[in-house]
Structure formats: C-alpha cells, structure tokens
C-alpha cells in the first residue's frame, strides 16, 4: 500500500516530468499535454466527488455500492484499472434486462449468443422485429447498443445475428476522454468529419419526463419535435408528426396505450411501436430511449454531434 511519503514522491515526480515535457515540447504540443492532464484530473475529480456525495447519503452500504456500480463515469474508471467487481457477462445481462420491455414494444426480444471478454466482443440474437417499420429496427439497434455501452464501455464490438451490422464502440478511456473533450469544447468538434457528425447521438432529455401512466409530454430536442408517453411503468419516445395527416401531435389524447391524433383522429398503439389501429400501414416514428435513476436519454439518428 502506498504511504504518505510515496504519494508525495509521486506528486513531485509528476511535477518534474511535466516541467521537462514543457521545456522540450513546442507550444502547440505542450498545450495538448496540458489539456490532456487537466481533463484526466477533472474526470477523476468528478468521480471522487460522486463517491463523496453517495457516502454522505443515508443509504445503506449495499445501496451505496449499487449506486456506484450504476454510475457510468465511476464504472469506466473501475474498468480502466481492472477493479470492477462485476464481470462483463453480468453487466451485459443487466444492460439487456433494462431494454427488454422496450424491445417488446417493437415486437421482439434479445438473447446473448456469446461474449468474448478477452476481445471485448458481444454477440446477440434478436427475436422478431416490427414488420414494415424500418425506423423501429433503428430504435432496437440503438437501444441495445446504448444500454450495453453504458454498462460495459470496454466492449469493442457488438454483433447481432442476421440483423444488425457489426458496430464498433470506443474503449473506456477513449470514450470518457472524448466525452470530456466534447463538454469542454461546448459543441465545437473541430477535426470530426462530416460522416461522423451524422452518427446517432445519445443525449440527455432536459425536461422532467412524464411520471404517471397516461401522461404525454411534447418538446423539441435539437430542433426535432418529439413526444414522451408513459404507459404503465414504461416510457416511450416518438417523433410527434402524425403519419396520417402530417400535422404535429400537440394535444393528442393518450388513453391507456392508445394515442389519438387531435387533427385526424387516427389512433396509434404506443406500446407496440406506434402501429396504427385503423388497419392502415402507418406507424409513429419511434425514438430510442433509455431511462435510469439519473433521468432520460434519447438518441436521434442523424443528429448533429
């Protein structure tokens, strides 16, 4: 175990090394090094602050432990140092359990085929899909990927038999540093090409989500009109343009799992991927959604980073 003297020596050594790098490096190179060190210190500082906040709560030790293991930043740091108490298979299983109700709304489920912990590869199989609704397949794809990425950021590839293409995801350090750099730049992503800027992006939903069954909330996220619907305990997100009449569903009536457009009276089943109940090949446009104790995140395919 490192004692106080060793910590002081390590701190002094770090300071000397930084001074040596500053003396040897060009100004642009040193600015990058300085930013890198600052971002790493901020990440660990944020993680420590979250731990302190949890320790100050009135929760039991086991409750604190569970909160720590659900925190994405703390999880990433634990994985980075190889000290996470849960193995990859357990965390992937937990991630899929979170999205099973959501997948069920799109007419399918998901099962684990194989997990290669050494390579960081997860192989899955989807059961069923929402026929005639291509956007539903997109929501399933993004919901599965998003849930796994939260619980297991060390996964490098997700493969889904016969349905989804192979998907590359970043290593933990790359992921958290990229996120911190993005926050630092406040949306200025110089150096990213146009193709990557159009990838689907998970983003927090800033407004309080509907809490009670039958509640409907309309909002705009990055200029996209969307609506959130609470059916039972499950929350769903859709683009709020009615595919029947083309109008925005501003004051739709949500009765149980049926949403009725106020403009044309077309009815849609919110629980089953927004299918029309009128016998027509119409669907509301679903949006991937993840809900946890920290709030709600949605993913908009093609959203700007």
């Amino acid at each position: 175990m490192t004692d106080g003297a060793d910590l002081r020596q390590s701190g002094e050594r770090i300071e000397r090394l930084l001074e040596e790098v500053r003396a040897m490096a060009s100004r642009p190179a040193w600015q990058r090094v300085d930013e890198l060190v600052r971002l790493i210190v901020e990440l660990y500082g944020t993680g420590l602050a979250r731990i302190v906040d949890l320790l100050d709560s009135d929760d039991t030790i086991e409750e604190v432990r569970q909160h720590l293991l659900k925190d994405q930043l703390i999880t990433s740091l634990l994985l980075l140092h190889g000290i996470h108490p849960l193995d990859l298979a357990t965390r992937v299983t937990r991630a899929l359990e979170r999205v099973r109700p959501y997948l069920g709304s799109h007419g399918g489920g998901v099962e684990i085929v194989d997990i290669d912990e050494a390579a960081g590869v997860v192989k899955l199989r989807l059961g069923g899909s929402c026929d005639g609704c291509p956007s539903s397949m997109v929501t399933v794809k993004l919901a599965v990927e998003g849930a796994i990425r939260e619980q297991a950021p060390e996964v490098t590839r997700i493969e889904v038999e016969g349905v989804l293409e192979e998907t590359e995801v970043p290593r933990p350090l790359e992921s958290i540093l990229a996120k911190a750099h993005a926050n630092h730049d406040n949306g200025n992503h110089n150096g990213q090409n146009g193709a990557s800027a159009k990838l689907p992006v998970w983003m927090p939903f800033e407004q309080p989500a509907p809490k009670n069954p039958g509640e409907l909330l309309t909002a705009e996220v990055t200029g996209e009109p969307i609506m959130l619907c609470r059916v039972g305990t499950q929350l769903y997100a859709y683009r709020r343009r009615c595919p029947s009449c083309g109008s925005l569903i501003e004051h739709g009536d949500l009765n149980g799992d049926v949403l009725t457009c106020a403009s044309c009276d077309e009815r849609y089943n919110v629980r089953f991927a927004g299918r029309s109940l009128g016998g027509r090949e119409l669907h509301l446009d679903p949006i991937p959604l993840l809900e946890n104790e920290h709030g709600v995140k949605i993913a908009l395919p093609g959203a700007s980073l």
Side-chain angles (χ1 to χ4, degrees):
M1 182 178 294
T2 303
D3 59 23
D6 291 335
L7 289 174
R8 287 194 296 273
Q9 291 175 4
S10 296
E12 292 170 359
R13 177 62 175 160
I14 291 172
E15 291 293 337
R16 287 197 301 271
L17 288 173
L18 288 175
E19 288 300 324
E20 290 175 8
V21 172
R22 173 181 283 190
M24 292 186 297
S26 64
R27 182 177 178 81
W30 167 251
Q31 289 175 337
R32 287 296 185 93
V33 172
D34 185 57
E35 181 181 18
L36 177 61
V37 172
R38 180 177 54 77
L39 288 174
I40 293 174
V41 171
E42 285 181 359
L43 285 169
Y44 279 89
T46 302
L48 290 172
R50 291 180 184 176
I51 292 173
V52 171
D53 287 342
L54 287 172
L55 292 176
D56 284 339
S57 69
D58 295 327
D59 293 339
T60 65
I61 293 177
E62 180 57 28
E63 288 172 335
V64 169
R65 180 178 182 275
Q66 291 303 319
H67 287 314
L68 288 173
L69 297 181
K70 290 178 181 178
D71 188 284
Q72 190 173 6
L73 174 57
I74 294 175
T75 294
S76 295
L77 295 175
L78 292 174
L79 290 168
L80 191 61
H81 294 279
I83 56 176
H84 198 290
L86 301 179
D87 62 18
L88 178 59
T90 300
R91 286 180 283 114
V92 170
T93 299
R94 287 188 174 189
L96 296 180
E97 288 302 320
R98 285 183 53 203
V99 296
R100 284 188 198 282
Y102 195 78
L103 300 184
S105 73
H106 296 275
V110 62
E111 62 178 293
I112 297 173
V113 176
D114 183 52
I115 296 178
D116 187 337
E117 189 157 356
V121 177
V122 175
K123 296 181 180 180
L124 306 172
R125 181 184 297 117
L126 290 183
S129 63
C130 181
D131 297 331
C133 183
S135 61
S136 179
M137 204 65 252
V138 174
T139 62
V140 168
K141 175 179 184 294
L142 290 175
V144 169
E145 291 176 357
I148 292 177
R149 189 175 294 118
E150 276 196 351
Q151 296 292 319
E154 77 271 34
V155 169
T156 59
R157 193 165 71 251
I158 300 171
E159 300 174 0
V160 181
E161 286 188 357
V163 180
L164 306 183
E165 73 278 9
E166 179 178 293
T167 302
E168 299 290 341
V169 295
R171 288 286 189 179
L173 182 59
E174 294 171 351
S175 176
I176 57 181
L177 287 180
K179 184 181 295 184
H181 186 70
N183 292 338
H184 170 69
D185 287 344
N186 292 321
N188 180 16
H189 293 265
N190 295 328
Q192 290 190 351
N193 58 38
S196 64
K198 294 182 179 180
L199 291 173
V201 179
W202 285 98
M203 61 191 71
F205 187 78
E206 302 295 345
Q207 300 184 45
K211 295 297 182 183
N212 301 314
E215 289 186 354
L216 175 70
L217 174 66
T218 59
E220 285 198 7
V221 179
T222 64
E224 183 75 49
I226 69 170
M227 58 184 173
L228 266 60
C229 313
R230 177 76 67 181
V231 178
T233 60
Q234 189 68 32
L235 190 64
Y236 302 92
Y238 292 93
R239 286 182 174 83
R240 70 175 195 257
R241 190 171 297 280
C242 175
S244 176
C245 66
S247 64
L248 292 179
I249 301 177
E250 300 290 350
H251 306 290
D253 176 51
L254 181 60
N255 185 7
D257 53 12
V258 176
L259 175 68
T260 303
C261 174
S263 299
C264 67
D265 291 330
E266 187 73 34
R267 299 185 304 147
Y268 303 95
N269 191 312
V270 173
R271 191 186 295 273
F272 289 100
R275 294 179 178 180
S276 170
L277 298 178
R280 305 169 63 187
E281 293 298 322
L282 296 174
H283 292 266
L284 294 171
D285 195 1
I287 295 175
L289 176 149
L290 291 174
E291 184 179 21
N292 58 29
E293 67 275 10
H294 299 299
V296 173
K297 293 195 297 184
I298 61 173
L300 297 176
S304 298
L305 291 176

